[in-house]
Amino acid sequence: MSPDEVFAGLSSGPQGLGSSEAARRLAELGANELSFANVSPWWRVLLRQFISPLIGILLVAAVVTLVQEHWVDASAIFLILFINASLGFFQERKAEDAVRALQSLSSPTCRVLRDGAEQVVPGRDVVLGDVVLLESGERVSADLRLFAVNGLQVDESMLTGESFASSKQTAALPAEIGDADKSNVAFSGTFVGNGRGRGVVIATGAGTALGEINALVQGPTGKSPLQLLTHSLERRIGMIVLAAIVFIFIAGLVLGNDVSTMFRTAVGLAVASIPESLPIVLTVALSLGVSRMARRNAIVRTLPAVETLGSTNVIGSDKTGTLTENRLTVERIWTFDGILDVSGDEGDGASMDPPLVRAVLRAGALTNEATLSAEDEGLEYSGDAVDAAMARIAVVRAAISEAERIAEPAAHQPYEPHLRYSQTVVQDADGRRVLYVKGSPEAVLDGAVDMAAPDGTAPLDPNRVHAANETMGREGLRVIATGTRVLADNEELSSPLLPPTGLTFLGMEGMTDPPRAGVADAIGRCRRAGIKVMMITGDHPVTATAIAGRLGLSTDRPALTGAEMAALDDHMLAARLEQTSVAARVSPVEKLRIVRVLQAKGKVVAVTGDGVNDAPALKAAAIGVAMGKSGTDVARESSDVVLTDDNFVTIVHAVEEGRVTFSAVRKTTFFLLSTGAAALVAVTLSVFAETPLLFLPVQMLWMNVVTNGAQDIALTFEPAEGDELTRPPRAPSEGVLSRTLWFRAGITGCWMALAVTLTFVVALHNGYTETHARTFALTMFVVLTFFQVHSSRAETKSIFQLRLLANKPLLFTSLAAQTLHWAVQTWPVSADLLGLTPLHLWEWLLCVGVGSTVLVIVEAEKGVRRWAHRHDAPIF
C-alpha cells in the first residue's frame, strides 16, 4: 500500500491523531505492551516434586512406618523425601526470564504528533494511526509504515541477523516479501542508527513482529533427553518395585508371617530397592559439568543442559557473531591491476601496497564518518559498519594516518540511501581541493569519465568493473567503489554538494563479516563426532552460502530460504534439511519450524543465536546456546547455555564436556541400580527362606544414602576417557544404561544378593543373634558395594588400565565409607540407633574376600566382550 492508502485505512493523516481520538483508541485496543504467561504458584511447584512413582512408594512407606510407630525409620524416610523435594523445588523455581527480557525492548517514551504538534508520550500509550518521529539513537516503539525518511538507517540485527543496518525508504513493496526485506517498515524494538524519519503506527503490542516472537517464547520449555530418560527409568523402577512389594507381601502372608512383619518387610524392600540418592547424584554430576564448562567459557543456566549438549546430533547455528566475527572486514581490493586479497594480513607489508591500492584505501577512509573508539592494538571503530571497516584497513595498512583521516573536511555529504553514495572534499598537502566519492559501483560509475591506471588514467571500462563486482559478489562480499577528482581553483562548493561528475574511478573494496578463527576446524570435529552443523540465518542466501563454503559446510545444494519453506510441508522440509547445511532469509517463525521438524525426525537439536529473532528457536530446541557478549537479553534468557566468548569453538568444547557428564551419570546409575537390584533380590530370597527381617528400613537408608550415596557422588568426578569426540552421539532409543550395563547390573546384582542372603542365613544357622546376623549381612553388602563402585569407573576398559588416583574423591570416599560403617557399629549410641553390633576381625576379612569377587566377575565379562569384539563373535 502507498502511504496515502495506509493513512486512509487507519483513519489518520501525516499530522497524526487528535488527543481525544488517541485516548479512545487506547481504551478500545489496549496498551502497546506485551503480555506474559503467569508463573506457577510456589505450592504447585512443590507438589510437583512428589509426582513420581518412586517418591509415591516412599511416601506410602513413610506413612506405614509412622502408623506402626517405628519412629526412627519414619523420620529417616521423611528426611530423604524432604531433601529430594527441596532440590527439585529450587531447581524449578529458578525464574525463566525469557519473556520478561522482552520488556527491555519496549520504548519507555516516544515522540508522536498529536493535535498537529510534537508530544512525548509513554511508549505503552502509542496507538494505531499515531505518527511517530524517529531520530538517531532512538528505539522504535511500535511497527511503523514509513512515509518520510532522510538517510534513515535502522539496526534490525536482533530481528534479521544481518550485520548491515537496513536503509529505509517509503515506496510500496510486494505484499509477499518477508520482514527482513520490508525496507518501508520500522519494527518495534529496533534501533535507529542514522538519519531521521516519520512513520504511522500499523501494529502495537502483540500485533507487532516483536509481539509474534513473544507469543512463540511463551510456550513451555521442552524436557531435555536426560530428563526424559530418567523419568522413563523412574517409571520402570517404580513398576518393578511396586510389583515386587505386592508379590512379597502376599507371599509372606501365605508363608505364615503376620501382617505387621510383612508391612515392615515391604517398607524395607521399598527403601532397599529405590535409589533415593539418584536425584542428588544427577544434580552433583550436572553441577560438575557446569563447573568444567564455565572454565571453557560456557555458562550453563539450566543443569540438564550439561548432558543435553553431549546428546546433540544437530547444531543449528546463527551466522553473525557465532560463526563469524560480527565485524565487517575488507578482504578484497580491486583496481585496474586486478584483485588483491588482503584477508588475514592487515598491516603485513602495508608499505609495499601498490599506489592504486593505497589510493582506493585513502578514498574510502576520507569520505567516512567512523570514529576511533579505542586507541589499542585492535583499532576498534564505531559508527556505520562499512565506514568502520574501510577506515580501519586504511589506517592499519598505513594508507592514511588517523590524524589525516579525522581532519576537518572542506565539505561533506553523508551517505544517502536513495543516492547510494557519500562524498567529501579535503585539502591535500599541496593545497589542492580533492573530491572523494564512495558508494555503490553503479553510482560511482555514473559520475566517472575514466579510471585510474598504473601510468595515470585509462579509458573507463564499465564491463570490466561490473565483472569484478559480480566476482566479488559471488563470494558474498559487499562491494563499495571509490572515485576522485581534483577540483578547479575557482570551483565553488554548494550545500549540499552537487552530484559528482568527472570522476576517476579508483577501484572497489569487497568486505564481509569473516569466519571466526578455529570455527572451520571445530565444524570438522563435529562432523567426526557424528554431529551435523547447519547455518540458520536471516542473512542473504549469497552471503550465507559464501561463508558456509569457507567454513567447510556443504554447499552442493542451494541454501534453503524462507520463501521456499512456505511451499513445503513438514515431510518435504525434513527431506530438504537432510540435503542442505544452509538456511537463509528465514524469519523467527521459520527458524522455529526448522527446529520442530528436525525434532520430529528424532534429532536432538542445539540452536545458537544472539538476536530477538533467535529466542523462539532457542527456547524450543533441546538446548539453546546464546551469545554472552553480543547477545540480546531476550536471547540469553531464552537459552540454556551462554557463551562468554561468543565463539562456536566453545560449543564443541561444551559438547565434549556434555558427553563426559553423561558418562558419569551412566556410571553412577549403573552402580545405584545394580546395588538396588541386589537389595531387592536379597530381601525376596530372605522372605522365601522364612528368615527374620533381613534389614531394618533404617539400615537400608543408612547404606543407600550414607555409604553408597557418598561413593556414587564421588563416582561423578570420574575424568574423561579421551575418546568423547570420536564416538557418535548416543542413539535416541538408548536409555541411561546400555544393553551391556543392564546385563552387567543383572549378573552382579544377583551375585551380591546371593552373597548377602547366604551370609545372613548361615549366621543365623550358626547361632548368631538377629542383630549380629543383620550386621554381618549389612557389612557384607557395604564391602561388596566398595568393589562394585570401583568396577563402575569404566564401561569397557579394565579397571587395571585406569590410574588409581585419577579419581581421588572416589578412592578416599569409598575408604571413608568403610571406616564410617565400622565406626557406627562400634559406637554404642549409633549402633543402638541403627540396630548394629561390632564384628570380629575375621568377619571383616571374610567380607573383603567375598566382596572382591565382584571385580573378578566384571573383569571376566569385560574380557569376554573385548575378545568377541576382536573376533566379530556374537555376544550376549
Side-chain angles (χ1 to χ4, degrees):
M1 300 171 69
S2 68
D4 290 339
E5 291 173 321
V6 175
F7 281 125
L10 294 171
S11 300
S12 182
Q15 296 304 309
L17 303 172
S19 297
S20 58
E21 175 63 14
R24 186 191 69 79
R25 295 190 183 193
L26 180 63
E28 179 181 339
L29 303 176
N32 174 35
E33 56 189 8
L34 303 179
S35 59
F36 302 99
N38 294 324
V39 178
S40 298
W42 67 269
W43 56 268
R44 186 172 295 172
V45 176
L46 183 60
L47 287 178
R48 278 203 292 263
Q49 309 314 311
F50 296 94
I51 303 176
S52 161
L54 301 186
I55 298 300
I57 293 171
L58 283 178
L59 270 174
V60 173
V63 172
V64 169
T65 53
L66 199 63
V67 171
Q68 292 189 312
E69 300 183 358
H70 298 300
W71 309 117
V72 175
D73 293 341
S75 300
I77 297 173
F78 276 119
L79 177 62
I80 296 304
L81 288 171
F82 173 77
I83 293 173
N84 283 343
S86 298
L87 283 170
F89 177 80
F90 286 113
Q91 279 297 315
E92 194 166 339
R93 285 292 289 178
K94 281 187 175 180
E96 177 52 69
D97 295 326
V99 293
R100 304 296 172 192
L102 283 162
Q103 287 179 315
S104 66
L105 297 178
S106 301
S107 177
T109 61
C110 70
R111 297 179 302 117
V112 300
L113 289 179
R114 295 264 177 94
D115 300 320
E118 179 180 328
Q119 299 181 22
V120 177
V121 301
R124 67 184 307 275
D125 290 347
V126 173
V127 297
L128 292 181
D130 260 329
V131 169
V132 176
L133 311 180
L134 300 175
E135 279 189 357
S136 298
E138 293 183 336
R139 190 187 293 276
V140 182
S141 57
D143 284 2
L144 311 178
R145 172 64 163 87
L146 299 169
F147 65 88
V149 297
N150 182 6
L152 184 64
Q153 291 187 301
V154 180
D155 180 359
E156 297 178 343
S157 58
M158 69 172 194
L159 289 175
T160 65
E162 285 205 30
S163 305
F164 307 106
S166 175
S167 297
K168 296 299 182 179
Q169 49 90 30
T170 61
L173 296 170
E176 65 275 7
I177 64 171
D179 286 350
D181 296 314
K182 291 179 180 176
S183 58
N184 57 7
V185 174
F187 293 100
S188 176
T190 58
F191 273 109
V192 178
N194 292 298
R196 297 178 303 279
R198 294 188 178 195
V200 58
V201 176
I202 57 174
T204 61
T208 63
L210 190 64
E212 293 177 2
I213 293 174
N214 174 65
L216 297 174
V217 173
Q218 296 284 345
T221 302
K223 293 187 180 297
S224 73
L226 182 60
Q227 288 174 314
L228 294 174
L229 290 177
T230 52
H231 290 170
S232 173
L233 184 63
E234 284 182 354
R235 288 193 297 271
R236 188 181 303 180
I237 294 173
M239 288 188 292
I240 293 173
V241 170
L242 189 60
I245 289 173
V246 173
F247 173 73
I248 295 301
F249 186 83
I250 295 173
L253 293 179
V254 171
L255 291 172
N257 293 298
D258 62 86
V259 174
S260 177
T261 300
M262 290 316 302
F263 264 126
R264 204 172 186 201
T265 300
V267 171
L269 182 61
V271 174
S273 53
I274 290 176
E276 296 92 346
S277 60
L278 182 58
I280 301 173
V281 167
L282 290 176
T283 301
V284 172
L286 296 175
S287 298
L288 287 172
V290 168
S291 175
R292 290 193 297 263
M293 286 187 182
R295 291 195 292 269
R296 304 183 82 166
N297 299 318
I299 306 301
V300 176
R301 300 183 65 251
T302 56
L303 280 182
V306 178
E307 183 280 330
T308 308
L309 268 173
S311 308
T312 298
N313 46 34
V314 176
I315 298 177
S317 178
D318 187 33
K319 177 183 72 70
T320 305
T322 309
L323 300 176
T324 64
E325 295 181 358
N326 196 22
R327 183 183 68 177
L328 277 183
T329 303
V330 176
E331 297 198 340
R332 305 283 191 277
I333 299 175
W334 180 87
T335 63
F336 187 89
D337 291 335
I339 294 178
L340 176 66
D341 185 347
V342 294
S343 60
D345 65 344
E346 288 183 351
D348 295 344
S351 61
M352 302 296 292
D353 283 340
L356 291 180
V357 170
R358 294 172 65 82
V360 172
L361 294 175
R362 283 181 59 82
L366 286 171
T367 177
N368 195 298
E369 296 181 355
T371 57
L372 184 63
S373 55
E375 286 281 2
D376 57 18
E377 185 181 349
L379 279 177
E380 294 297 328
Y381 286 87
S382 60
D384 180 78
V386 171
D387 281 354
M390 299 181 82
R392 183 174 184 274
I393 193 168
V395 173
V396 169
R397 297 187 73 86
I400 191 173
S401 67
E402 180 63 19
E404 186 180 1
R405 194 189 71 82
I406 64 175
E408 187 68 25
H412 174 69
Q413 181 180 4
Y415 177 82
E416 296 285 357
H418 66 283
L419 297 177
R420 298 184 299 162
Y421 63 78
S422 63
Q423 53 182 338
T424 303
V425 177
V426 301
Q427 193 165 6
D428 66 10
D430 299 327
R432 299 178 304 173
R433 294 179 304 162
V434 182
L435 171 68
Y436 291 102
V437 179
K438 166 172 66 70
S440 70
E442 294 80 8
V444 178
L445 279 173
D446 287 343
V449 295
D450 56 19
M451 57 195 306
D455 300 326
T457 59
L460 184 65
D461 187 350
N463 291 334
R464 187 174 179 183
V465 174
H466 288 313
N469 183 23
E470 291 178 7
T471 298
M472 290 194 284
R474 284 194 296 270
E475 297 180 22
L477 301 177
R478 180 168 184 175
V479 181
I480 302 296
T482 58
T484 186
R485 176 170 69 89
V486 178
L487 301 183
D489 293 338
N490 60 352
E491 188 171 345
E492 294 185 1
L493 299 178
S494 61
S495 181
L497 292 172
L498 296 174
T501 57
L503 296 177
T504 295
F505 192 94
L506 295 175
M508 296 180 290
E509 297 183 43
M511 59 197 74
T512 189
D513 182 9
R516 282 181 174 271
V519 169
D521 178 63
I523 290 175
R525 294 175 67 191
C526 285
R527 189 180 299 111
R528 291 190 292 274
I531 302 170
K532 178 178 180 178
V533 178
M534 289 192 65
M535 179 191 295
I536 306 177
T537 179
D539 213 341
H540 196 279
V542 174
T543 305
T545 302
I547 295 296
R550 295 173 62 177
L551 292 172
L553 296 175
S554 174
T555 55
D556 296 338
R557 298 294 297 269
L560 173 69
T561 64
E564 181 185 353
M565 286 178 60
L568 302 176
D569 60 26
D570 286 353
H571 180 74
M572 296 168 66
L573 178 58
R576 184 72 171 87
L577 290 171
E578 289 289 333
Q579 301 170 346
T580 187
S581 295
V582 181
R585 238 3 171 216
V586 292
S587 68
V589 174
E590 289 158 348
K591 285 188 179 185
L592 181 60
R593 184 186 173 200
I594 289 174
V595 171
R596 288 177 172 166
V597 166
L598 289 171
Q599 289 175 328
K601 296 292 289 184
K603 304 294 185 183
V604 180
V605 184
V607 170
T608 75
D610 58 358
V612 175
N613 60 323
D614 300 312
L618 286 170
K619 186 170 183 180
I623 182 160
V625 183
M627 304 300 108
K629 286 184 178 179
S630 61
T632 61
D633 288 342
V634 183
R636 284 192 290 268
E637 295 299 342
S638 299
S639 68
D640 305 289
V641 176
V642 177
L643 305 184
T644 59
D645 58 358
D646 290 11
N647 197 338
F648 182 85
V649 177
T650 302
I651 300 175
V652 181
H653 296 324
V655 168
E656 182 179 11
E657 294 296 349
R659 293 189 175 187
V660 172
T661 298
F662 180 77
S663 180
V665 170
R666 168 170 278 184
K667 292 168 184 175
T668 53
T669 304
F670 161 75
F671 171 68
L672 286 171
L673 292 187
S674 62
T675 53
L680 179 67
V681 175
V683 172
T684 304
L685 291 176
S686 69
V687 170
F688 282 96
E690 300 185 21
T691 67
L693 194 62
L694 177 59
F695 297 127
L696 302 178
V698 70
Q699 291 174 341
M700 292 311 304
L701 281 174
W702 163 258
M703 193 189 76
N704 284 0
V705 177
V706 180
T707 57
N708 281 10
Q711 294 177 99
D712 54 37
I713 289 174
L715 186 57
T716 62
F717 286 83
E718 191 66 27
E721 296 181 28
D723 60 347
E724 282 74 20
L725 288 182
T726 61
R727 301 193 301 260
R730 187 182 73 255
S733 58
E734 185 174 284
V736 177
L737 298 187
S738 62
R739 292 177 60 186
T740 297
L741 290 181
W742 275 115
F743 175 80
R744 190 175 300 162
I747 59 172
T748 55
C750 289
W751 170 246
M752 288 189 290
L754 183 61
V756 170
T757 306
L758 287 177
T759 300
F760 187 58
V761 171
V762 170
L764 290 174
H765 182 72
N766 287 330
Y768 282 36
T769 64
E770 288 187 18
T771 300
H772 195 168
R774 284 195 187 101
T775 305
F776 199 1
L778 185 64
T779 303
M780 179 65 75
F781 208 164
V782 168
V783 176
L784 282 163
T785 60
F786 170 85
F787 289 100
Q788 178 74 331
V789 77
H790 284 278
S791 72
S792 305
R793 290 181 58 193
E795 185 173 351
T796 56
K797 285 185 178 179
S798 167
I799 188 176
F800 302 108
Q801 292 178 291
L802 306 177
R803 291 189 301 111
L804 182 63
L805 295 179
N807 189 343
K808 293 179 182 178
L810 177 61
L811 177 62
F812 297 148
T813 303
S814 57
L815 290 174
Q818 309 306 307
T819 305
L820 184 62
H821 183 69
W822 169 82
V824 297
Q825 64 182 236
T826 305
W827 188 35
V829 175
S830 57
D832 183 60
L833 186 65
L834 294 176
L836 301 175
T837 189
L839 294 182
H840 301 294
L841 177 61
W842 72 266
E843 291 171 324
W844 273 95
L845 293 175
L846 179 62
C847 289
V848 172
V850 175
S852 63
T853 57
V854 171
L855 277 184
V856 176
I857 293 172
V858 173
E859 287 300 313
E861 187 252 354
K862 288 180 181 178
V864 170
R865 288 188 182 277
R866 286 194 294 270
W867 177 88
H869 179 72
R870 288 195 300 269
H871 294 82
D872 294 325
I875 190 68
F876 40 79

